[in-house]
């Protein structure tokens, strides 16, 4: 009789253990699923959804230093509220507070072209070379926004123009979006205008793809290699594909090789749209020998070398010739 009374209790105890184990496994499964889902949203670029998941399911605090959402410091920096920013810093907010994707207040200030906020953050000790999980730096954000003032400020505080070859490049971003003033600042600080990123190519190639003629001109004046593009594709290939006659003419003036072949053994004229103005222009250029003036200018510039282009105004030559060597006068004037 006693055995009969104890058996149901043992079964109940066994059921309790089984229930606890089942709940533990379910909780573990939910956590793993949410972690995978958050990672999926981050990879897809949906940071807000990833932050929402983290905030709702992991009960991360929303105060200062929260990794799941933006802090008041981020909000003040992104909106350019300088007084609020200074107040928050005086209250002890961490100047390098990170969001879920490692965005700092300095990233936000530069993306919003808020120079005053950026300066205040830097003076408070902000990391000028902080990178997000995507490798984006404040300098990249400044170039993306077209804020030449922020670019100058960041460089003054020791910003590196490129941390690693695989990370987003400020000069490529400026070239792609046509922010020639940012390019001017970067070039004046001695950035490598032929910086080559495998999946993007050179800044000149990117500018040609984006049809940013002002940036193409700036890069060429700074001595960018007119033949270096992406892999075997030259900038002239990119300009021909985009059917941009003005950029094609500019590249040809700087000595672009019209017979260069890409990985598919195609010349620029072969990748130009059929019966387009660019195709006709390239075919005519092939049939017309280059002038002696153009050949002489290219030869002299090659002998001088890119690193000494700034010395051309000091040459003992007539002003009109010095202007010609610097592409400040049209070849038709000679």
């Amino acid at each position: 009789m006693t055995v009969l009374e104890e058996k149901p209790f043992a079964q109940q105890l066994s059921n309790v253990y089984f229930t606890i184990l089942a709940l533990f496994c379910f909780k573990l499964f939910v956590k793993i699923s949410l972690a995978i889902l958050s990672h999926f949203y981050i990879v897809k670029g949906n940071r807000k959804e990833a932050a929402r998941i983290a905030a709702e399911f992991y009960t991360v605090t929303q105060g200062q230093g929260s990794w799941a959402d933006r802090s008041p410091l981020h909000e003040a920096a992104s909106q350019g509220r300088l007084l609020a920013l200074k107040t928050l810093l005086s209250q002890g907010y961490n100047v390098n507070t990170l969001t879920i994707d490692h965005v700092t207040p300095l990233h936000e200030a530069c993306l919003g072209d808020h120079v005053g906020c950026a300066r205040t953050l830097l003076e408070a000790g902000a990391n000028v070379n902080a990178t997000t999980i995507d490798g984006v730096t404040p300098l990249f954000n400044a170039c993306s926004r077209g804020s030449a003032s922020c670019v100058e400020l960041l460089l003054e505080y020791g910003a590196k123009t490129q941390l690693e070859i695989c990370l987003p490049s400020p000069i490529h971003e400026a070239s792609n979006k046509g922010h020639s003033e940012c390019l001017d600042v970067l070039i004046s600080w001695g950035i490598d205008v032929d910086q080559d990123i495998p999946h993007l190519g050179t800044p000149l190639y990117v500018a040609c793809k984006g049809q940013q003629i002002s940036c193409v001109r700036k890069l060429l004046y700074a001595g960018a290699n007119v033949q270096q593009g992406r892999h075997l594709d030259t900038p002239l290939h990119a300009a021909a594909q985009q059917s941009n006659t003005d950029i094609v003419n500019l590249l040809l003036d700087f000595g672009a090789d019209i017979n260069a072949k890409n990985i598919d053994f195609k010349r620029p004229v072969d990748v130009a749209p059929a019966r387009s103005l660019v195709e006709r222009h390239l075919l005519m250029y092939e049939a017309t020998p280059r002038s002696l003036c153009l050949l002489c200018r290219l030869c002299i510039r090659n002998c001088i070398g890119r690193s000494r282009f700034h010395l051309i105004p000091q040459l003992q030559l007539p002003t009109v010739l010095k202007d010609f060597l610097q592409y400040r006068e049209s070849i038709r004037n000679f």
Side-chain angles (χ1 to χ4, degrees):
M1 187 70 180
T2 305
V3 175
L4 292 175
E5 290 178 354
E6 291 180 353
K7 187 174 181 181
F9 175 76
Q11 288 179 345
Q12 290 176 8
L13 187 62
S14 176
N15 290 339
V16 169
Y17 284 136
F18 178 78
T19 302
I20 293 173
L21 179 62
L23 288 173
F24 174 78
C25 292
F26 177 75
K27 186 176 180 180
L28 182 63
F29 172 75
V30 169
K31 284 189 174 182
I32 293 174
S33 300
L34 290 175
I36 294 174
L37 185 60
S38 297
H39 179 72
F40 171 79
Y41 279 119
I42 290 173
V43 170
K44 291 296 183 180
N46 194 339
R47 314 293 182 192
K48 291 184 178 180
E49 186 64 19
R52 186 189 66 78
I53 292 172
E56 291 186 5
F57 294 97
Y58 292 103
T59 61
V60 179
T61 59
Q62 298 300 306
Q64 177 184 355
S66 168
W67 61 270
D69 206 351
R70 293 152 57 89
S71 71
L73 206 60
H74 286 85
E75 294 297 333
S78 66
Q79 295 173 21
R81 294 188 283 115
L82 183 56
L83 182 59
L85 187 73
K86 291 181 177 179
T87 302
L88 291 169
L89 289 173
S90 67
Q91 292 174 352
Y93 273 77
N94 183 0
V95 71
N96 289 309
T97 297
L98 301 178
T99 65
I100 187 174
D101 48 358
H102 291 194
V103 173
T104 67
L106 184 59
H107 281 96
E108 297 285 8
C110 293
L111 191 59
D113 190 18
H114 303 306
V115 184
C117 290
R119 185 180 298 278
T120 299
L121 291 167
L122 289 167
E123 290 173 350
N127 182 2
V128 72
N129 289 309
T131 57
T132 67
I133 59 174
D134 296 320
V136 171
T137 62
L139 184 60
F140 180 91
N141 275 358
C143 289
S144 181
R145 180 65 165 79
S147 175
S149 299
C150 281
V151 171
E152 185 79 45
L153 177 66
L154 293 168
L155 291 171
E156 288 175 0
Y157 274 82
K160 297 180 180 178
T161 53
Q162 184 67 15
L163 298 179
E164 296 178 20
I165 193 170
C166 59
L167 296 182
S169 161
I171 190 172
H172 285 77
E173 182 71 1
S175 301
N176 180 53
K177 293 194 172 180
H179 299 315
S180 57
E181 291 184 357
C182 292
L183 268 184
D184 275 335
V185 177
L186 291 170
I187 291 170
S188 69
W189 279 78
I191 194 172
D192 181 11
V193 292
D194 288 328
Q195 189 179 101
D196 192 359
I197 294 181
H199 67 285
L200 293 177
T202 62
L204 180 59
Y205 182 83
V206 169
C208 290
K209 288 286 286 186
Q211 302 187 63
Q212 304 294 350
I213 189 168
S214 61
C215 291
V216 172
R217 187 176 287 108
K218 296 281 186 185
L219 291 165
L220 289 172
Y221 284 176
N225 188 340
V226 73
Q227 289 302 122
Q228 190 174 350
R230 186 183 64 180
H231 306 306
L232 293 180
D233 265 351
T234 66
L236 189 57
H237 281 92
Q241 284 179 321
Q242 299 301 322
S243 195
N244 193 310
T245 308
D246 292 334
I247 294 181
V248 166
N249 283 331
L250 190 57
L251 294 170
L252 291 173
D253 280 347
F254 275 82
D257 184 2
I258 198 171
N259 293 312
K261 295 182 179 180
N262 62 14
I263 195 170
D264 297 320
F265 300 100
K266 291 184 177 181
R267 300 174 303 155
V269 68
D270 299 325
V271 300
R275 294 179 296 278
S276 66
L277 183 61
V278 166
E279 183 188 51
R280 293 198 298 271
H281 183 77
L282 289 172
L283 289 172
M284 184 177 297
Y285 188 87
E286 283 183 348
T288 307
R290 287 188 286 181
S291 69
L292 183 58
C293 283
L294 175 58
L295 293 174
C296 288
R297 176 164 59 184
L298 294 174
C299 183
I300 293 171
R301 284 175 63 89
N302 287 335
C303 290
I304 292 173
R306 183 175 70 190
S307 62
R308 295 189 292 272
F309 282 165
H310 66 283
L311 299 176
I312 291 179
Q314 301 178 24
L315 294 176
Q316 299 299 313
L317 293 172
T319 301
V320 68
L321 289 178
K322 288 187 286 188
D323 287 343
F324 177 65
L325 290 177
Q326 296 176 91
Y327 287 88
R328 292 178 179 172
E329 289 287 343
S330 171
I331 194 172
R332 290 187 294 272
N333 294 339
F334 290 86

